Amino acid sequence: MTQATTEATVPYEEALAAYDPVLGLEVHVELNTATKMFCGCATTFGAQPNSQVCPVCLGLPGALPVVNEKGVESAIRIGLALNCEIAPWCRFARKNYFYPDMPKNFQTSQYDEPIAFDGHLDVELDDGTTYRVLIERAHMEEDTGKSTHVGGATGRIHGATHSLVDYNRAGIPLIEIVTKPMVGAGERAPEIARAYVATLRDLLAALGVSDVRMEQGSMRCDVNLSLMPTGADRFGTRSETKNVNSLRSVERAVRFEIQRHAAILASGGSVTQETRHWHEDTGITTSGREKSDAEDYRYFPEPDLVPIAPAADWVERLRESLPEPPAARRRRLQGEWGYADLEMRDVVNAGLLDLIEETVAAGASPAGARKWWSGEIARRANADGRDVPAYAAAPRRDPRPCGGVGVVGHQRPTQ
Amino acid sequence: MTTELITATAAELAARLAAREISSVEVTQAHLDRTAAVDGAVHSYLHVDAEGALASARAVDRRRAAGESMPTLAGVPIAVKDVMTTAGLPTTCGSRILQGWIPPYDSTVVARLKAAGLPILGKTNMDEFAMGSSTEHSAYGPSRNPWDLDRIPGGSGGGSSSVLASFQAPLATGTDTGGSIRQPAAVTGTVGTKPTYGGVSRYGLVALASSLDQAGPCARTVLDTALLHEVMAGHDPMDSTSIDAPVPAVVEAARRADVAGMRIGIVRELTGEGFQAGVQQRFDEAVRHLVDAGAQVVEVSCPSFVYALAAYYLILPSEASSNLAKFDAMRYGLRVLPAGDDDPSAEQVMAATREAGFGDEVKRRIILGTYALSSGYYDAYYGSAQKVRRLISDDFAAAFASADVLVSPTAPTTAFKLGDKLDDPMAMYLNDIATIPANLAGVPGMSVPSGLAPEDGLPVGLQILAPAMQDQRLYAVGAALEARLQAAWGAPLLASAPDLTAATAKGA
Ligand SMILES: [Zn+2]
C-alpha cells in the first residue's frame, strides 16, 4: 500500500458519504501573566528581540526554574471553567528534543500528571443545538522561542539561508487544552471545530487569563483529523495540522483534511501520520515533518521543580470566583439588547460580543452598535480575510515601555 | 611568616584578620604565591584570578580598617569548583564544550561567598561535568594528589581537594552527586561535607543530576568546614528544591565536639569485603576513638544498599542526558562546524560540536541516560531505579531509628595511581559505593581523615551520615574524632604530607 501525502481532494459530500471524521483539537493558550512561567522576565508582546530574557529562560548553564504561581492559578481556573477535575498533586515533566529555539533542548511541560483532566465544554452550534466536547486534559507548559527563517521562499526553514531566534517568547506560560477524540460529528465536524475554538476563546477571555489573540499567536490551534469508513469503530491514521490561527481557518482546515484524507483512502492509499502546515492563502495543507509513533520525547518528572499540590480550599475559592459562563452571559445580553436569535448568533459568531458590550456601555444603542460592528467593519474584515476584533481601535492592553537589550539580571516570577 | 599563613586554618586566619594582626591582602597573596610555586605540579586550578582575589582582599581590608563589623570569614580566601558560575570568570566544568565561556551571573553559592567577603582565588579542576572519581576525565588534564603526585586526588572535586592538601587555599567549594566532595576529601586527608539535599542552593551549579547534586564545603579541619557550610547554606528562592528552614547549627556542633551518649551505627553492608585492609583498620580504630569519647556503637543493616550503584547509574545518566542537552553551540560555548560541509544545518552543527566538545565519559553517560529514558525502557530502567531509591530511603529511615549517625569508610581504597582505572569504568564507579546511598536518599554526609593506611602511607577517610537536616551531627562526630586523632598523632594529618616545593623543584 502506498503512503500518500498528496494535496488531492474529493468533493466534501462524497467524502462524508463514505467516511466518518474523527476530530481532535489541541489548543495552546498563552497566559497573560506579567512574568514568564519559570522566571521573572516580562512577557510584553512585540518587544525588541531578545530584550526580555535572563539566564533561566535562555537556558544558561546553572540556571533553575521557579514556578509562577499566577500561571498555576490560571491553569486551575481554566480547568475549573472546563468542568475538569483538578489534580490534588501533579508534577512538571521534561519533554526532550533538540531544536534551536528551545534553549534547554527540553520543554518543561506536563506529561502523565496534568493539572486538569476529564472535563467538557458545551458548544452551541448555528442551529441552536448544543454539542458537548469532552476535554481530555489541560496542562501547563512553557512556550519556545520564535525562529524566523530568512532567505527561503516561504519563510520556512527549507531553503533558508539563515535563521534568527528571538527568545522573548521562550518561557511564556502556555496551557495546552486537549479534547478527547470527537466521534459522530459527521458533516458538521468543521462547524463544531470552529464553534469549539470560538467558545473556548470566549471562555478564556471571560476568565481574563489570556489575550486569546489568534492573529498574534496567543491562542494557537492544532487540528488532528482522521477518517474511518462509515460505521466503523477503529480510528484511521491521523494528520496533525499545526498552527491554524483563525476561526475561519479552523473550519476550513478540518474541511480540507476530510477531503484530502478521503481522496487518499478512496484511491486505496493509506494516510501518512505526519504534521501538516496550513496555508491561509490557498486554503490547503501541505506536508510537514513525518511523525511516527517512534518519536520519543523521553519524558521524565522535572527534578528541578517540586510537585504542585494546590490546596483544596484554594481550588474552591477559585471555583467560586469564576465569572459568568459565556453562554449564560449571552442569554442575559440578548435579553437586555433585544436581539433576535439570528442577530445574536451572527454577533457571537463574529466574536463581536465584547465590542458591542463596550460600545453600548459607552452610550450607543444596542441596535446601532450591532449595525456598526457587524455591517461596515465585518464587510471590511471579510474582504481582508481577518477577524473583526483585529479592527478594534482600543488596544486591549497598554503597551509598556521595554527595557534595555540583553539584561542578564534574574528574578523569580512575580505574577 | 608565609608558610604560617598558608598552613593556618581558616578559623585561625579569621581570628587574626578580625584582630587586624594580618591583612586579607597578605593572606591572599601568600596563597597566590604558593600556587605559583606548586600548582605546576599539582594542577588544582583551571583558572587563577589573582587580580580579582587581591581586589576583594583590599576591599575587605578597607572595610575592616574603617571599623565595619565583618562576617566571620571575611578576608579568608577560597577556591571555587569550576562547576559554579562566577560572573566574569570562566566556568568550564572541566569540559571542552564550555571552553572560554564567561557566565553573566554568579551562582547563589558564589554570591554568598562574595557577600561574606571571601576573596575568590580561582576555579578548581574537576572531572568533566563532575563525571568521575579521579579528575582524569577533565578535558584540561588531571589534578594530582599532593601525597603522591602519581596518584589521583579523587573526583570529581579533585581540584578542590588537592588545592587544600597542597595549601593553596584554606577553603574550597565542592559539589557532590555521588561522592564528589567526600571521596576526594578521603584520599587527600582533608574534610568535606555533602549537606542535606536542598540545604545549599543549586542555583548556578551547572547541573549533572538535578535530584542528586548538592554543593558543600571543603576544608582541612572540621571547624573550618562548618564555618564555610554556614556561609553557603540556607534557603534560596531561586532554587525550588531549596529547603526553607534554618541552617542546622553546624559551627556550634563543631566547636562542642560532643558525642557523649550518641549512637553510632555501623552499616554492615559498607564494611569488610571489598575494602582495603588499611582502610578497614583505620575505620575500626576511628570507631574505638568515638567509643572512648562516649559514643555507643550499634550495628545496622541496609540491605538495599547493594542496589544503590545500579540505581544511581540509571538515574544519574538519565537526568544528565537531559541536563546536558543545552550544550548545542547555538547560544554559548564551543561551536564546531562539520568538516566538508559548506552549508551545515543547525542539527549538523549541534552534532559536530557535541562530538568534539564532550569527552568519552560524558558521551557514555548521555548514551546510557538516553537509552534508559526511552519509551519501552523507561519503566524497566528509570522507573525501577526510582523504586530502589525509595527502598534506600526506607533503609536509612530504619537505620536512623536505632542510630543517630551512621559511619563507614568513605572510599574502599586509598588513592589509586593515575591511569589505573581509566579504561575500566566499572572499577571507577565502584569507588563511590559507600557515598552514593546518601545522594539517593538526600541525607547529609561528611568525610573526615582517619589516618594513613599502613600498607601505602596514604590517607583514609571516615564517612559520617546523618538524617536529613541533622547536618550538625556530622560535625559533632567529625570534630570529636578529629580532636582525639590529632591528640594521638601530635599534629594534623597533613603535617606528614610530602614537601611539594621540593617535588616541584625536582620536577622542574
Ligand atoms: Zn527569563
Side-chain angles (χ1 to χ4, degrees):
Chain A
M1 218 165 19
T2 55
Q3 293 223 325
T5 61
T6 93
E7 278 83 57
T9 59
V10 297
Y12 188 65
E13 293 68 25
E14 199 177 300
L16 266 300
Y19 302 102
D20 283 337
V22 177
L23 175 66
L25 293 166
E26 294 175 17
V27 174
H28 286 88
V29 185
E30 264 184 12
L31 298 180
N32 58 4
T33 52
T35 52
K36 293 185 180 180
M37 192 63 200
F38 301 114
C39 64
C41 289
T43 56
T44 317
F45 181 80
Q48 189 179 354
N50 297 312
S51 64
Q52 298 176 163
V53 293
C54 74
V56 177
C57 58
L58 282 178
L60 293 191
L64 293 173
V66 174
V67 172
N68 184 336
E69 196 180 312
K70 187 78 180 173
V72 176
E73 181 186 295
S74 295
I76 294 173
R77 294 181 70 227
I78 290 169
L80 291 170
L82 291 171
N83 305 290
C84 287
E85 309 254 350
I86 303 301
W89 190 92
C90 66
R91 289 181 292 188
F92 284 96
R94 292 187 183 179
K95 181 181 183 180
N96 293 286
Y97 64 100
F98 282 82
Y99 203 77
D101 64 18
M102 202 166 52
K104 298 168 293 186
N105 285 320
F106 62 78
Q107 182 187 29
T108 308
S109 180
Q110 294 194 287
Y111 180 48
D112 50 359
E113 301 169 8
I115 188 149
F117 54 94
D118 285 350
H120 64 262
L121 182 63
D122 288 331
V123 175
E124 266 178 50
L125 303 178
D126 280 353
D127 63 1
T129 58
T130 298
Y131 184 92
R132 175 162 288 191
V133 177
L134 299 180
I135 305 294
E136 169 97 27
R137 57 189 282 155
H139 73 246
M140 301 178 279
E141 60 185 33
E142 59 179 338
D143 212 341
T144 61
K146 198 171 159 65
S147 297
T148 307
H149 306 296
V150 183
T154 59
R156 300 201 189 282
I157 195 163
H158 186 75
T161 56
H162 61 283
S163 303
L164 302 170
V165 190
D166 177 7
Y167 293 103
N168 283 354
R169 202 179 69 177
I172 288 187
L174 288 181
I175 304 296
E176 181 176 340
I177 301 163
V178 183
T179 67
K180 292 202 158 106
M182 293 178 231
V183 189
E187 61 176 6
R188 303 193 74 169
E191 183 193 351
I192 289 171
R194 179 194 171 116
Y196 166 72
V197 177
T199 306
L200 187 59
R201 187 190 63 180
D202 293 350
L203 182 71
L204 296 167
L207 288 169
V209 293
S210 170
D211 294 350
V212 286
R213 304 192 82 154
M214 296 186 82
E215 74 284 3
Q216 284 185 356
S218 62
M219 182 169 177
R220 312 195 277 272
C221 184
D222 299 344
V223 172
N224 291 336
L225 189 114
S226 65
L227 296 184
M228 54 187 182
T230 307
D233 55 8
R234 227 180 118 221
F235 296 174
T237 304
R238 69 170 193 277
S239 61
E240 187 177 337
T241 304
K242 296 293 223 182
N243 293 327
V244 188
N245 289 340
S246 74
L247 295 178
R248 198 162 156 260
S249 297
V250 169
E251 184 164 2
R252 291 167 74 208
V254 171
R255 195 181 172 90
F256 177 82
E257 281 295 285
I258 289 173
Q259 292 174 267
R260 188 183 69 84
H261 281 229
I264 294 167
L265 296 172
S267 67
S270 70
V271 174
T272 305
Q273 186 171 340
E274 62 183 349
T275 61
R276 297 189 64 86
H277 300 298
W278 167 249
H279 300 270
E280 186 90 43
D281 47 354
T282 51
I284 67 164
T285 67
T286 55
S287 180
R289 105 197 112 90
E290 238 182 76
K291 191 172 188 177
S292 71
D293 282 328
E295 190 160 322
D296 187 351
Y297 293 118
R298 290 173 283 118
Y299 282 101
F300 71 104
E302 166 57 280
D304 284 330
L305 292 170
V306 291
I308 306 278
D313 60 338
W314 183 40
V315 173
E316 282 321 301
R317 276 203 306 283
L318 293 176
R319 191 194 303 276
E320 282 157 22
S321 71
L322 290 181
E324 180 183 21
R329 174 169 166 248
R330 283 197 299 273
R331 279 190 292 278
R332 175 175 60 77
L333 289 176
Q334 190 180 354
E336 287 171 18
W337 295 342
Y339 289 179
D341 285 357
L342 197 65
E343 289 170 343
M344 191 65 187
R345 196 163 65 231
D346 289 346
V347 161
V348 169
N349 285 346
L352 301 179
L353 214 53
D354 286 349
L355 290 173
I356 292 178
E357 193 182 24
E358 284 168 33
T359 311
V360 170
S365 74
R370 186 183 62 80
K371 285 203 189 86
W372 168 252
W373 287 109
S374 60
E376 184 55 31
I377 303 297
R379 238 190 320 278
R380 180 76 183 276
N382 202 38
D384 295 354
R386 300 172 70 183
D387 291 329
V388 173
Y391 292 79
R396 295 195 171 181
R397 22 191 320 189
D398 300 330
R400 271 176 283 161
C402 51
V405 181
V407 179
V408 292
H410 44 253
Q411 282 173 346
R412 311 179 69 215
T414 52
Q415 48 184 294
Chain B
M1 177 65 187
T2 307
T3 309
E4 202 182 288
L5 289 181
I6 59 168
T7 56
T9 67
E12 289 160 4
L13 292 172
R16 296 177 64 192
L17 283 162
R20 298 185 58 198
E21 293 168 25
I22 51 173
S23 72
S24 178
V25 168
E26 284 174 89
V27 176
T28 303
Q29 188 60 56
H31 286 96
L32 291 168
D33 291 347
R34 173 71 173 176
T35 293
V38 303
D39 204 43
V42 182
H43 192 228
S44 297
Y45 281 113
L46 292 178
H47 182 84
V48 175
D49 184 26
E51 222 170 280
L54 288 169
S56 306
R58 275 192 296 272
V60 170
D61 287 341
R62 252 197 318 273
R63 289 171 62 190
R64 201 162 247 142
E68 246 183 87
S69 136
M70 303 292 283
T72 308
L73 289 178
V76 180
I78 187 166
V80 171
K81 189 177 180 182
D82 204 34
V83 76
M84 297 174 172
T85 61
T86 37
L89 279 188
T91 300
T92 68
C93 302
S95 181
R96 191 72 65 199
I97 211 160
L98 275 178
Q99 189 162 27
W101 183 58
I102 298 187
Y105 75 108
D106 276 330
S107 55
T108 296
V109 165
V110 166
R112 288 185 179 180
L113 298 178
K114 287 182 177 175
L118 284 82
I120 292 170
L121 295 164
K123 305 295 291 287
T124 60
N125 194 19
M126 56 188 282
D127 287 293
E128 184 175 7
F129 290 109
M131 298 185 194
S133 307
S134 68
T135 68
E136 292 168 289
H137 294 303
S138 168
Y140 306 102
S143 301
R144 288 160 186 275
N145 192 321
W147 290 83
D148 178 347
L149 294 175
D150 292 331
R151 290 179 187 266
I152 60 109
S156 66
S160 285
S161 67
S162 61
V163 92
L164 295 167
S166 59
F167 300 98
Q168 299 185 65
L171 297 169
T173 64
T175 56
D176 189 313
T177 305
S180 288
I181 287 175
R182 291 162 288 162
Q183 180 258 8
V187 299
T188 56
T190 59
V191 182
T193 299
K194 180 203 97 72
T196 298
Y197 182 79
V200 175
S201 171
R202 293 188 296 112
Y203 191 79
L205 270 53
V206 182
L208 168 53
S210 310
S211 73
L212 301 163
D213 295 346
Q214 187 51 220
C218 308
R220 288 190 296 264
T221 71
V222 173
L223 177 60
D224 285 1
T225 311
L227 290 167
L228 179 56
H229 188 134
E230 216 166 58
V231 173
M232 295 170 73
H235 181 240
D236 178 12
M238 297 298 290
D239 173 1
S240 308
T241 61
S242 160
I243 295 172
D244 192 0
V247 177
V250 292
V251 172
E252 192 197 330
R255 288 196 201 281
R256 291 188 50 186
D258 182 9
V259 294
M262 200 180 259
R263 296 167 304 166
I264 310 275
I266 296 177
V267 186
R268 194 181 303 147
E269 288 77 10
L270 295 181
T271 54
E273 205 186 329
F275 289 82
Q276 186 182 320
V279 168
Q280 185 66 39
Q281 184 188 331
R282 293 304 179 219
F283 171 73
D284 294 338
E285 287 167 14
V287 171
R288 279 199 293 280
H289 276 294
L290 291 170
V291 171
D292 291 346
Q296 53 187 107
V297 170
V298 294
E299 191 176 300
V300 298
S301 176
C302 295
S304 300
F305 281 17
V306 295
Y307 306 113
L309 195 70
Y312 177 83
Y313 277 102
L314 288 169
I315 293 168
L316 179 143
S318 296
E319 293 184 8
S321 70
S322 174
N323 283 331
L324 297 180
K326 63 176 58 161
F327 300 102
D328 64 0
M330 292 297 116
R331 293 169 306 283
Y332 47 77
L334 185 73
R335 176 175 288 177
V336 173
L337 302 179
D341 191 337
D342 290 342
D343 187 22
S345 69
E347 285 77 6
Q348 288 170 313
V349 174
M350 286 182 192
T353 302
R354 290 166 68 82
E355 163 64 29
F358 286 141
D360 286 350
E361 183 62 23
V362 172
K363 285 178 191 159
R364 175 154 43 229
R365 297 200 199 182
I366 288 174
I367 292 166
L368 273 172
T370 303
Y371 188 76
L373 288 175
S374 302
S375 78
Y377 297 98
Y378 179 92
D379 290 339
Y381 294 135
Y382 191 78
S384 303
Q386 291 294 0
K387 284 178 195 148
V388 169
R389 193 168 186 174
R390 180 78 253 160
L391 293 175
I392 285 166
S393 291
D394 293 347
D395 276 4
F396 270 115
F400 286 129
S402 57
D404 300 307
V405 295
L406 306 179
V407 293
S408 77
T410 308
T413 67
T414 54
F416 48 88
K417 285 219 156 79
L418 287 161
D420 261 11
K421 300 190 180 180
L422 200 50
D423 298 326
D424 186 354
M426 198 58 206
M428 190 77 94
Y429 296 170
L430 280 168
N431 250 285
D432 298 331
I433 190 107
T435 45
I436 279 171
N439 299 82
L440 288 170
V443 303
M446 170 189 279
S447 180
V448 62
S450 59
L452 303 178
E455 60 267 42
D456 54 21
L458 292 168
V460 176
L462 174 92
Q463 175 176 239
I464 311 157
L465 303 168
M469 288 311 275
Q470 300 296 328
D471 304 44
Q472 78 283 356
R473 291 187 197 168
L474 308 175
Y475 289 92
V477 175
L481 180 65
E482 178 185 64
R484 298 189 75 86
L485 285 172
Q486 288 199 14
W489 300 330
L493 191 65
L494 274 164
S496 52
D499 178 3
L500 280 174
T501 39
T504 314
K506 250 188 289 162

